[in-house]
């Protein structure tokens, strides 16, 4: 489990959600094929801030939850809720693992999965300090082209979008693309990618999003020719009309 450890920083009130203090002990009864964790008391947990586990490693969907079960085996687990239950009663949760000998402090499972490239991050409502930790962990996996970020996995996502985009409608995807061009429009900005996502333009950024990018010193016009990480929900209109939820769903890599 040592390979999972993420460098610890002093705890701050702003990131208490992703720190183990106050977490509730839990015993896992089973892990479903979708990566949902069912506890002995009947409650079901999902891994907050990550894509569903079995859709992150396209070449190994069948064994993904099995691997998660192996990684958790023998560990002391605790959890904190990270939001309200969904319509099926599943609770989004932050999970913390600790070695049985307790020589090391508990670590945040989400950060470990992101750092190894075993899961892709989907930023939502969380403390900024927790988001920063996840983004830093994900960037290490990107740099090593591990797991979800391996060239073959990424090529599989793009090939599927190119051949049967209608089959992916409504799915949340995270892919690495190169920006071919960025141009201004009356209501925002338009971004085209290489390889093409079979639509021109592929991504529309609202005026507010363009301003937010500039305020964060991440001007999209400076990214032409560079690689970016793009998180998006495949729209009914097709991949030529992509929009993003927030500026953390489009991040420069180069």
């Amino acid at each position: 489990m040592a390979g999972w450890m993420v460098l610890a920083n002093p705890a701050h009130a702003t990131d208490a959600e992703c720190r183990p203090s106050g977490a509730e002990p839990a015993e896992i009864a089973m892990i479903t094929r979708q990566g949902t964790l069912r506890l002995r008391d009947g409650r079901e947990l999902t891994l907050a801030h990550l894509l569903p586990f079995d859709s992150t490693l396209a070449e190994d969907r069948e064994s993904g939850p099995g691997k998660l079960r192996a990684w958790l085996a023998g560990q002391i687990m605790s959890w904190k809720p990270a939001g309200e239950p969904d319509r099926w009663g599943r609770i989004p949760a932050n999970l913390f693992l600790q070695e049985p000998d307790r020589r090391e402090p508990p670590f945040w499972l989400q950060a470990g999965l992101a750092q190894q490239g075993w899961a892709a991050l989907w930023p939502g409502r969380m403390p900024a300090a927790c988001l920063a930790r996840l983004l830093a962990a994900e960037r290490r996996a990107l740099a090593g082209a591990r797991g979800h970020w391996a060239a073959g996995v990424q090529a599989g996502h793009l090939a599927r979008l190119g051949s049967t985009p209608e089959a992916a409608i409504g799915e949340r995807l995270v892919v690495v693309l190169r920006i071919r061009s960025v141009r201004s429009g009356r209501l925002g900005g338009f971004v085209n990618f290489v390889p093409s996502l079979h639509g021109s333009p592929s991504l529309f950024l609202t005026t507010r999003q363009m301003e937010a990018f500039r305020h964060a010193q991440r001007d999209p016009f400076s990214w032409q020719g560079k690689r970016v990480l793009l998180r998006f929900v495949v729209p009914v209109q097709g991949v030529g009309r992509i929009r993003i939820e927030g500026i953390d769903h489009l991040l420069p890599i180069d």
Side-chain angles (χ1 to χ4, degrees):
M1 299 297 290
W4 286 40
M5 298 304 294
V6 179
L7 294 177
N9 295 313
H12 299 285
T14 55
D15 65 354
E17 179 182 303
C18 54
R19 298 287 176 183
S21 177
E24 177 182 344
E27 185 178 355
I28 298 175
M30 69 171 294
I31 301 175
T32 70
R33 290 184 61 182
Q34 292 73 36
T36 298
L37 288 78
R38 187 170 298 157
L39 304 183
R40 292 290 182 191
D41 61 12
R43 289 178 294 181
E44 291 194 3
L45 310 179
T46 58
L47 294 171
H49 317 309
L50 302 178
L51 289 185
F53 189 80
D54 68 338
S55 64
T56 59
L57 296 174
E59 84 288 0
D60 200 12
R61 291 190 179 195
E62 293 297 322
S63 61
K67 286 184 177 180
L68 181 59
R69 187 179 300 110
W71 298 331
L72 300 183
Q75 306 303 304
I76 300 171
M77 195 186 92
S78 57
W79 69 283
K80 289 181 177 181
E84 295 297 322
D86 63 18
R87 59 179 173 172
W88 296 282
R90 300 174 303 191
I91 305 169
N94 288 300
L95 278 80
F96 307 93
L97 300 185
Q98 187 175 32
E99 297 281 1
D101 58 19
R102 299 180 186 268
R103 287 185 297 181
E104 298 287 346
F107 68 93
W108 188 22
L109 176 60
Q110 272 88 337
L113 292 172
Q115 182 168 300
Q116 296 302 321
W118 291 332
L121 171 61
W122 191 269
R125 298 182 62 182
M126 74 176 98
C130 295
L131 175 59
R133 288 179 63 192
L134 280 184
L135 290 173
E138 183 176 71
R139 189 169 289 276
R140 287 191 281 273
L142 274 163
R146 296 192 292 263
H148 181 79
W149 312 110
V153 176
Q154 287 293 306
H157 286 312
L158 295 176
R160 179 164 171 256
L161 278 177
S163 60
T164 57
E166 65 283 352
I169 289 173
E171 286 192 24
R172 295 184 295 176
L173 296 181
V174 184
V175 294
V176 174
L177 298 165
R178 190 173 298 277
I179 291 183
R180 183 176 67 193
S181 62
V182 182
R183 63 181 178 84
S184 294
R186 186 170 61 87
L187 299 176
F190 300 94
V191 182
N192 284 289
F193 299 103
V194 179
S196 170
L197 291 182
H198 302 274
S200 182
S202 294
L203 171 67
F204 174 72
L205 300 174
T206 66
T207 298
R208 178 174 295 182
Q209 287 173 336
M210 294 289 284
E211 291 174 351
F213 275 120
R214 294 189 185 101
H215 182 73
Q217 298 183 335
R218 288 156 47 191
D219 185 356
F221 284 97
S222 69
W223 298 349
Q224 293 187 132
K226 297 182 179 180
R227 293 185 307 149
V228 295
L229 184 157
L230 176 65
R231 315 177 205 271
F232 66 99
V233 177
V234 179
V236 174
Q237 301 94 328
V239 290
R241 294 174 179 257
I242 295 171
R243 297 203 180 197
I244 56 173
E245 295 179 5
I247 65 173
D248 290 316
H249 288 239
L250 177 61
L251 294 173
I253 296 174
D254 297 332

mmCIF file of all heavy atoms in Angstrom, residues 137-179:
data_model
loop_
_atom_site.group_PDB
_atom_site.id
_atom_site.type_symbol
_atom_site.label_atom_id
_atom_site.label_comp_id
_atom_site.label_asym_id
_atom_site.label_seq_id
_atom_site.Cartn_x
_atom_site.Cartn_y
_atom_site.Cartn_z
ATOM 1 N N ALA A 137 -2.693 15.197 -7.492
ATOM 2 C CA ALA A 137 -2.531 13.747 -7.607
ATOM 3 C C ALA A 137 -2.773 13.292 -9.047
ATOM 4 O O ALA A 137 -2.032 12.459 -9.588
ATOM 5 C CB ALA A 137 -3.486 13.043 -6.649
ATOM 6 N N GLU A 138 -3.807 13.833 -9.669
ATOM 7 C CA GLU A 138 -4.127 13.470 -11.046
ATOM 8 C C GLU A 138 -3.004 13.883 -11.986
ATOM 9 O O GLU A 138 -2.666 13.152 -12.937
ATOM 10 C CB GLU A 138 -5.434 14.131 -11.457
ATOM 11 C CG GLU A 138 -5.905 13.764 -12.852
ATOM 12 C CD GLU A 138 -7.265 14.369 -13.160
ATOM 13 O OE1 GLU A 138 -7.335 15.602 -13.341
ATOM 14 O OE2 GLU A 138 -8.251 13.630 -13.200
ATOM 15 N N ARG A 139 -2.404 15.040 -11.731
ATOM 16 C CA ARG A 139 -1.334 15.514 -12.615
ATOM 17 C C ARG A 139 -0.136 14.569 -12.570
ATOM 18 O O ARG A 139 0.542 14.360 -13.583
ATOM 19 C CB ARG A 139 -0.931 16.939 -12.227
ATOM 20 C CG ARG A 139 0.021 17.580 -13.218
ATOM 21 C CD ARG A 139 0.187 19.068 -12.945
ATOM 22 N NE ARG A 139 -1.018 19.800 -13.286
ATOM 23 C CZ ARG A 139 -1.310 20.221 -14.514
ATOM 24 N NH1 ARG A 139 -0.496 19.967 -15.515
ATOM 25 N NH2 ARG A 139 -2.419 20.901 -14.731
ATOM 26 N N ARG A 140 0.131 13.961 -11.416
ATOM 27 C CA ARG A 140 1.238 13.002 -11.328
ATOM 28 C C ARG A 140 0.946 11.762 -12.184
ATOM 29 O O ARG A 140 1.849 11.217 -12.829
ATOM 30 C CB ARG A 140 1.487 12.621 -9.870
ATOM 31 C CG ARG A 140 2.160 13.735 -9.066
ATOM 32 C CD ARG A 140 2.628 13.228 -7.708
ATOM 33 N NE ARG A 140 1.533 13.146 -6.760
ATOM 34 C CZ ARG A 140 1.126 14.141 -5.983
ATOM 35 N NH1 ARG A 140 1.714 15.331 -6.066
ATOM 36 N NH2 ARG A 140 0.134 13.980 -5.124
ATOM 37 N N ALA A 141 -0.315 11.321 -12.185
ATOM 38 C CA ALA A 141 -0.676 10.183 -13.032
ATOM 39 C C ALA A 141 -0.573 10.552 -14.508
ATOM 40 O O ALA A 141 -0.118 9.747 -15.332
ATOM 41 C CB ALA A 141 -2.092 9.710 -12.697
ATOM 42 N N LEU A 142 -1.002 11.761 -14.846
ATOM 43 C CA LEU A 142 -0.888 12.225 -16.230
ATOM 44 C C LEU A 142 0.565 12.244 -16.683
ATOM 45 O O LEU A 142 0.891 11.809 -17.788
ATOM 46 C CB LEU A 142 -1.480 13.638 -16.349
ATOM 47 C CG LEU A 142 -2.976 13.748 -16.596
ATOM 48 C CD1 LEU A 142 -3.452 15.158 -16.280
ATOM 49 C CD2 LEU A 142 -3.306 13.397 -18.033
ATOM 50 N N ALA A 143 1.451 12.755 -15.822
ATOM 51 C CA ALA A 143 2.866 12.851 -16.178
ATOM 52 C C ALA A 143 3.462 11.472 -16.445
ATOM 53 O O ALA A 143 4.350 11.318 -17.293
ATOM 54 C CB ALA A 143 3.640 13.563 -15.068
ATOM 55 N N GLY A 144 2.969 10.456 -15.731
ATOM 56 C CA GLY A 144 3.473 9.103 -15.917
ATOM 57 C C GLY A 144 2.678 8.279 -16.899
ATOM 58 O O GLY A 144 2.993 7.102 -17.118
ATOM 59 N N ALA A 145 1.622 8.878 -17.506
ATOM 60 C CA ALA A 145 0.745 8.168 -18.452
ATOM 61 C C ALA A 145 0.277 6.845 -17.866
ATOM 62 O O ALA A 145 0.286 5.798 -18.520
ATOM 63 C CB ALA A 145 1.458 7.946 -19.789
ATOM 64 N N ARG A 146 -0.168 6.895 -16.621
ATOM 65 C CA ARG A 146 -0.581 5.689 -15.912
ATOM 66 C C ARG A 146 -2.092 5.486 -15.993
ATOM 67 O O ARG A 146 -2.857 6.443 -15.986
ATOM 68 C CB ARG A 146 -0.165 5.770 -14.434
ATOM 69 C CG ARG A 146 1.323 5.807 -14.196
ATOM 70 C CD ARG A 146 1.642 5.589 -12.726
ATOM 71 N NE ARG A 146 1.207 6.684 -11.884
ATOM 72 C CZ ARG A 146 1.984 7.676 -11.466
ATOM 73 N NH1 ARG A 146 3.253 7.706 -11.859
ATOM 74 N NH2 ARG A 146 1.519 8.629 -10.679
ATOM 75 N N GLY A 147 -2.517 4.219 -16.023
ATOM 76 C CA GLY A 147 -3.924 3.868 -15.911
ATOM 77 C C GLY A 147 -4.796 4.543 -16.953
ATOM 78 O O GLY A 147 -4.630 4.335 -18.163
ATOM 79 N N HIS A 148 -5.729 5.359 -16.479
ATOM 80 C CA HIS A 148 -6.674 6.041 -17.360
ATOM 81 C C HIS A 148 -5.963 6.888 -18.401
ATOM 82 O O HIS A 148 -6.522 7.138 -19.474
ATOM 83 C CB HIS A 148 -7.581 6.923 -16.507
ATOM 84 C CG HIS A 148 -8.627 7.664 -17.294
ATOM 85 N ND1 HIS A 148 -9.784 7.063 -17.734
ATOM 86 C CD2 HIS A 148 -8.688 8.951 -17.730
ATOM 87 C CE1 HIS A 148 -10.515 7.954 -18.400
ATOM 88 N NE2 HIS A 148 -9.868 9.095 -18.414
ATOM 89 N N TRP A 149 -4.754 7.330 -18.112
ATOM 90 C CA TRP A 149 -4.032 8.257 -18.990
ATOM 91 C C TRP A 149 -3.073 7.558 -19.937
ATOM 92 O O TRP A 149 -2.350 8.216 -20.678
ATOM 93 C CB TRP A 149 -3.289 9.286 -18.134
ATOM 94 C CG TRP A 149 -4.197 9.849 -17.092
ATOM 95 C CD1 TRP A 149 -4.147 9.640 -15.740
ATOM 96 C CD2 TRP A 149 -5.349 10.675 -17.310
ATOM 97 N NE1 TRP A 149 -5.183 10.282 -15.118
ATOM 98 C CE2 TRP A 149 -5.936 10.920 -16.040
ATOM 99 C CE3 TRP A 149 -5.938 11.219 -18.450
ATOM 100 C CZ2 TRP A 149 -7.089 11.698 -15.893
ATOM 101 C CZ3 TRP A 149 -7.090 11.989 -18.307
ATOM 102 C CH2 TRP A 149 -7.645 12.220 -17.035
ATOM 103 N N ALA A 150 -3.038 6.228 -19.914
ATOM 104 C CA ALA A 150 -2.199 5.496 -20.862
ATOM 105 C C ALA A 150 -2.678 5.755 -22.288
ATOM 106 O O ALA A 150 -3.869 5.937 -22.537
ATOM 107 C CB ALA A 150 -2.249 4.004 -20.554
ATOM 108 N N ALA A 151 -1.749 5.760 -23.219
ATOM 109 C CA ALA A 151 -2.085 6.096 -24.606
ATOM 110 C C ALA A 151 -3.165 5.170 -25.163
ATOM 111 O O ALA A 151 -4.079 5.617 -25.868
ATOM 112 C CB ALA A 151 -0.823 6.017 -25.469
ATOM 113 N N GLY A 152 -3.092 3.881 -24.852
ATOM 114 C CA GLY A 152 -4.073 2.943 -25.384
ATOM 115 C C GLY A 152 -5.476 3.191 -24.855
ATOM 116 O O GLY A 152 -6.451 3.071 -25.595
ATOM 117 N N VAL A 153 -5.591 3.543 -23.572
ATOM 118 C CA VAL A 153 -6.894 3.821 -22.982
ATOM 119 C C VAL A 153 -7.488 5.080 -23.601
ATOM 120 O O VAL A 153 -8.667 5.120 -23.979
ATOM 121 C CB VAL A 153 -6.788 3.961 -21.450
ATOM 122 C CG1 VAL A 153 -8.129 4.352 -20.848
ATOM 123 C CG2 VAL A 153 -6.303 2.655 -20.831
ATOM 124 N N GLN A 154 -6.671 6.120 -23.723
ATOM 125 C CA GLN A 154 -7.151 7.361 -24.317
ATOM 126 C C GLN A 154 -7.557 7.149 -25.776
ATOM 127 O O GLN A 154 -8.590 7.650 -26.225
ATOM 128 C CB GLN A 154 -6.074 8.443 -24.216
ATOM 129 C CG GLN A 154 -5.888 8.987 -22.808
ATOM 130 C CD GLN A 154 -7.098 9.766 -22.333
ATOM 131 O OE1 GLN A 154 -7.543 10.697 -22.996
ATOM 132 N NE2 GLN A 154 -7.637 9.389 -21.193
ATOM 133 N N ALA A 155 -6.766 6.386 -26.517
ATOM 134 C CA ALA A 155 -7.097 6.115 -27.917
ATOM 135 C C ALA A 155 -8.423 5.372 -28.021
ATOM 136 O O ALA A 155 -9.213 5.613 -28.944
ATOM 137 C CB ALA A 155 -5.976 5.306 -28.573
ATOM 138 N N GLY A 156 -8.697 4.485 -27.050
ATOM 139 C CA GLY A 156 -9.956 3.755 -27.057
ATOM 140 C C GLY A 156 -11.151 4.665 -26.866
ATOM 141 O O GLY A 156 -12.181 4.520 -27.536
ATOM 142 N N HIS A 157 -11.041 5.636 -25.937
ATOM 143 C CA HIS A 157 -12.124 6.596 -25.734
ATOM 144 C C HIS A 157 -12.396 7.394 -27.010
ATOM 145 O O HIS A 157 -13.547 7.580 -27.418
ATOM 146 C CB HIS A 157 -11.767 7.568 -24.603
ATOM 147 C CG HIS A 157 -11.855 6.963 -23.241
ATOM 148 N ND1 HIS A 157 -12.927 6.227 -22.812
ATOM 149 C CD2 HIS A 157 -10.994 7.010 -22.192
ATOM 150 C CE1 HIS A 157 -12.730 5.836 -21.561
ATOM 151 N NE2 HIS A 157 -11.565 6.293 -21.175
ATOM 152 N N LEU A 158 -11.329 7.878 -27.632
ATOM 153 C CA LEU A 158 -11.488 8.711 -28.826
ATOM 154 C C LEU A 158 -12.034 7.900 -30.002
ATOM 155 O O LEU A 158 -12.866 8.390 -30.770
ATOM 156 C CB LEU A 158 -10.153 9.358 -29.193
ATOM 157 C CG LEU A 158 -9.604 10.349 -28.159
ATOM 158 C CD1 LEU A 158 -8.235 10.852 -28.577
ATOM 159 C CD2 LEU A 158 -10.562 11.523 -27.960
ATOM 160 N N ALA A 159 -11.589 6.638 -30.133
ATOM 161 C CA ALA A 159 -12.076 5.797 -31.221
ATOM 162 C C ALA A 159 -13.568 5.522 -31.044
ATOM 163 O O ALA A 159 -14.332 5.520 -32.015
ATOM 164 C CB ALA A 159 -11.299 4.482 -31.257
ATOM 165 N N ARG A 160 -13.989 5.310 -29.811
ATOM 166 C CA ARG A 160 -15.407 5.053 -29.551
ATOM 167 C C ARG A 160 -16.245 6.284 -29.872
ATOM 168 O O ARG A 160 -17.321 6.188 -30.451
ATOM 169 C CB ARG A 160 -15.587 4.659 -28.092
ATOM 170 C CG ARG A 160 -17.037 4.388 -27.687
ATOM 171 C CD ARG A 160 -17.068 3.644 -26.364
ATOM 172 N NE ARG A 160 -18.424 3.558 -25.863
ATOM 173 C CZ ARG A 160 -18.898 4.294 -24.874
ATOM 174 N NH1 ARG A 160 -18.123 5.181 -24.290
ATOM 175 N NH2 ARG A 160 -20.143 4.156 -24.458
ATOM 176 N N LEU A 161 -15.745 7.451 -29.507
ATOM 177 C CA LEU A 161 -16.465 8.683 -29.829
ATOM 178 C C LEU A 161 -16.571 8.878 -31.332
ATOM 179 O O LEU A 161 -17.572 9.373 -31.843
ATOM 180 C CB LEU A 161 -15.770 9.889 -29.204
ATOM 181 C CG LEU A 161 -16.072 10.184 -27.735
ATOM 182 C CD1 LEU A 161 -15.239 11.365 -27.263
ATOM 183 C CD2 LEU A 161 -17.547 10.458 -27.517
ATOM 184 N N GLY A 162 -15.508 8.487 -32.044
ATOM 185 C CA GLY A 162 -15.518 8.679 -33.483
ATOM 186 C C GLY A 162 -16.401 7.706 -34.218
ATOM 187 O O GLY A 162 -17.031 8.059 -35.215
ATOM 188 N N SER A 163 -16.503 6.459 -33.709
ATOM 189 C CA SER A 163 -17.259 5.435 -34.431
ATOM 190 C C SER A 163 -18.732 5.412 -34.053
ATOM 191 O O SER A 163 -19.606 5.296 -34.914
ATOM 192 C CB SER A 163 -16.637 4.058 -34.179
ATOM 193 O OG SER A 163 -16.660 3.750 -32.791
ATOM 194 N N THR A 164 -19.028 5.509 -32.759
ATOM 195 C CA THR A 164 -20.432 5.443 -32.300
ATOM 196 C C THR A 164 -20.695 6.491 -31.230
ATOM 197 O O THR A 164 -20.956 6.144 -30.069
ATOM 198 C CB THR A 164 -20.757 4.044 -31.755
ATOM 199 O OG1 THR A 164 -19.827 3.734 -30.693
ATOM 200 C CG2 THR A 164 -20.691 2.981 -32.835
ATOM 201 N N PRO A 165 -20.633 7.777 -31.569
ATOM 202 C CA PRO A 165 -20.842 8.815 -30.551
ATOM 203 C C PRO A 165 -22.219 8.758 -29.918
ATOM 204 O O PRO A 165 -22.385 9.127 -28.751
ATOM 205 C CB PRO A 165 -20.632 10.118 -31.333
ATOM 206 C CG PRO A 165 -20.856 9.757 -32.767
ATOM 207 C CD PRO A 165 -20.378 8.347 -32.897
ATOM 208 N N GLU A 166 -23.209 8.284 -30.667
ATOM 209 C CA GLU A 166 -24.565 8.219 -30.108
ATOM 210 C C GLU A 166 -24.650 7.250 -28.931
ATOM 211 O O GLU A 166 -25.485 7.411 -28.030
ATOM 212 C CB GLU A 166 -25.572 7.811 -31.182
ATOM 213 C CG GLU A 166 -25.417 6.418 -31.763
ATOM 214 C CD GLU A 166 -24.289 6.279 -32.777
ATOM 215 O OE1 GLU A 166 -23.696 7.317 -33.147
ATOM 216 O OE2 GLU A 166 -24.019 5.147 -33.208
ATOM 217 N N ALA A 167 -23.764 6.245 -28.910
ATOM 218 C CA ALA A 167 -23.785 5.277 -27.809
ATOM 219 C C ALA A 167 -23.263 5.872 -26.511
ATOM 220 O O ALA A 167 -23.498 5.324 -25.432
ATOM 221 C CB ALA A 167 -22.947 4.053 -28.183
ATOM 222 N N ALA A 168 -22.555 6.992 -26.616
ATOM 223 C CA ALA A 168 -21.972 7.611 -25.426
ATOM 224 C C ALA A 168 -22.803 8.784 -24.911
ATOM 225 O O ALA A 168 -22.404 9.432 -23.935
ATOM 226 C CB ALA A 168 -20.550 8.089 -25.738
ATOM 227 N N ILE A 169 -23.940 9.081 -25.521
ATOM 228 C CA ILE A 169 -24.751 10.228 -25.113
ATOM 229 C C ILE A 169 -25.102 10.121 -23.630
ATOM 230 O O ILE A 169 -25.554 9.083 -23.149
ATOM 231 C CB ILE A 169 -26.036 10.316 -25.953
ATOM 232 C CG1 ILE A 169 -25.691 10.744 -27.388
ATOM 233 C CG2 ILE A 169 -27.036 11.307 -25.350
ATOM 234 C CD1 ILE A 169 -26.864 10.711 -28.339
ATOM 235 N N GLY A 170 -24.862 11.199 -22.909
ATOM 236 C CA GLY A 170 -25.161 11.247 -21.483
ATOM 237 C C GLY A 170 -24.028 10.784 -20.587
ATOM 238 O O GLY A 170 -24.091 10.974 -19.374
ATOM 239 N N GLU A 171 -22.987 10.191 -21.155
ATOM 240 C CA GLU A 171 -21.862 9.726 -20.345
ATOM 241 C C GLU A 171 -20.928 10.877 -20.004
ATOM 242 O O GLU A 171 -20.789 11.842 -20.747
ATOM 243 C CB GLU A 171 -21.066 8.647 -21.092
ATOM 244 C CG GLU A 171 -21.737 7.307 -21.153
ATOM 245 C CD GLU A 171 -20.787 6.228 -21.644
ATOM 246 O OE1 GLU A 171 -19.556 6.402 -21.501
ATOM 247 O OE2 GLU A 171 -21.275 5.213 -22.166
ATOM 248 N N ARG A 172 -20.281 10.760 -18.853
ATOM 249 C CA ARG A 172 -19.223 11.686 -18.474
ATOM 250 C C ARG A 172 -17.894 11.096 -18.925
ATOM 251 O O ARG A 172 -17.569 9.966 -18.569
ATOM 252 C CB ARG A 172 -19.224 11.912 -16.962
ATOM 253 C CG ARG A 172 -20.481 12.595 -16.450
ATOM 254 C CD ARG A 172 -20.403 12.882 -14.961
ATOM 255 N NE ARG A 172 -20.343 11.651 -14.183
ATOM 256 C CZ ARG A 172 -20.201 11.616 -12.858
ATOM 257 N NH1 ARG A 172 -20.078 12.753 -12.176
ATOM 258 N NH2 ARG A 172 -20.158 10.471 -12.215
ATOM 259 N N LEU A 173 -17.154 11.858 -19.720
ATOM 260 C CA LEU A 173 -15.883 11.385 -20.242
ATOM 261 C C LEU A 173 -14.764 12.352 -19.865
ATOM 262 O O LEU A 173 -14.985 13.556 -19.720
ATOM 263 C CB LEU A 173 -15.951 11.244 -21.763
ATOM 264 C CG LEU A 173 -16.920 10.202 -22.324
ATOM 265 C CD1 LEU A 173 -16.839 10.195 -23.842
ATOM 266 C CD2 LEU A 173 -16.624 8.816 -21.768
ATOM 267 N N VAL A 174 -13.579 11.791 -19.732
ATOM 268 C CA VAL A 174 -12.383 12.598 -19.478
ATOM 269 C C VAL A 174 -11.328 12.151 -20.483
ATOM 270 O O VAL A 174 -10.910 10.992 -20.473
ATOM 271 C CB VAL A 174 -11.863 12.419 -18.045
ATOM 272 C CG1 VAL A 174 -10.671 13.343 -17.795
ATOM 273 C CG2 VAL A 174 -12.957 12.698 -17.023
ATOM 274 N N VAL A 175 -10.905 13.063 -21.360
ATOM 275 C CA VAL A 175 -9.968 12.724 -22.426
ATOM 276 C C VAL A 175 -8.892 13.804 -22.537
ATOM 277 O O VAL A 175 -9.069 14.937 -22.095
ATOM 278 C CB VAL A 175 -10.683 12.572 -23.789
ATOM 279 C CG1 VAL A 175 -11.627 11.381 -23.763
ATOM 280 C CG2 VAL A 175 -11.446 13.836 -24.153
ATOM 281 N N VAL A 176 -7.780 13.410 -23.132
ATOM 282 C CA VAL A 176 -6.687 14.341 -23.407
ATOM 283 C C VAL A 176 -6.689 14.653 -24.897
ATOM 284 O O VAL A 176 -6.671 13.741 -25.725
ATOM 285 C CB VAL A 176 -5.328 13.751 -22.983
ATOM 286 C CG1 VAL A 176 -4.185 14.664 -23.421
ATOM 287 C CG2 VAL A 176 -5.291 13.539 -21.469
ATOM 288 N N LEU A 177 -6.726 15.947 -25.230
ATOM 289 C CA LEU A 177 -6.774 16.394 -26.620
ATOM 290 C C LEU A 177 -5.790 17.541 -26.815
ATOM 291 O O LEU A 177 -5.328 18.151 -25.845
ATOM 292 C CB LEU A 177 -8.185 16.867 -26.981
ATOM 293 C CG LEU A 177 -9.311 15.837 -26.895
ATOM 294 C CD1 LEU A 177 -10.654 16.533 -26.926
ATOM 295 C CD2 LEU A 177 -9.206 14.831 -28.034
ATOM 296 N N ARG A 178 -5.495 17.828 -28.073
ATOM 297 C CA ARG A 178 -4.655 18.989 -28.395
ATOM 298 C C ARG A 178 -5.538 20.056 -29.025
ATOM 299 O O ARG A 178 -6.372 19.762 -29.884
ATOM 300 C CB ARG A 178 -3.532 18.591 -29.356
ATOM 301 C CG ARG A 178 -2.473 19.690 -29.540
ATOM 302 C CD ARG A 178 -1.314 19.176 -30.371
ATOM 303 N NE ARG A 178 -0.623 18.076 -29.741
ATOM 304 C CZ ARG A 178 0.315 18.207 -28.807
ATOM 305 N NH1 ARG A 178 0.651 19.422 -28.379
ATOM 306 N NH2 ARG A 178 0.899 17.134 -28.292
ATOM 307 N N ILE A 179 -5.370 21.295 -28.576
ATOM 308 C CA ILE A 179 -6.162 22.398 -29.116
ATOM 309 C C ILE A 179 -5.606 22.830 -30.467
ATOM 310 O O ILE A 179 -4.425 23.149 -30.590
ATOM 311 C CB ILE A 179 -6.188 23.589 -28.143
ATOM 312 C CG1 ILE A 179 -6.996 23.217 -26.893
ATOM 313 C CG2 ILE A 179 -6.801 24.819 -28.811
ATOM 314 C CD1 ILE A 179 -7.148 24.344 -25.897
#
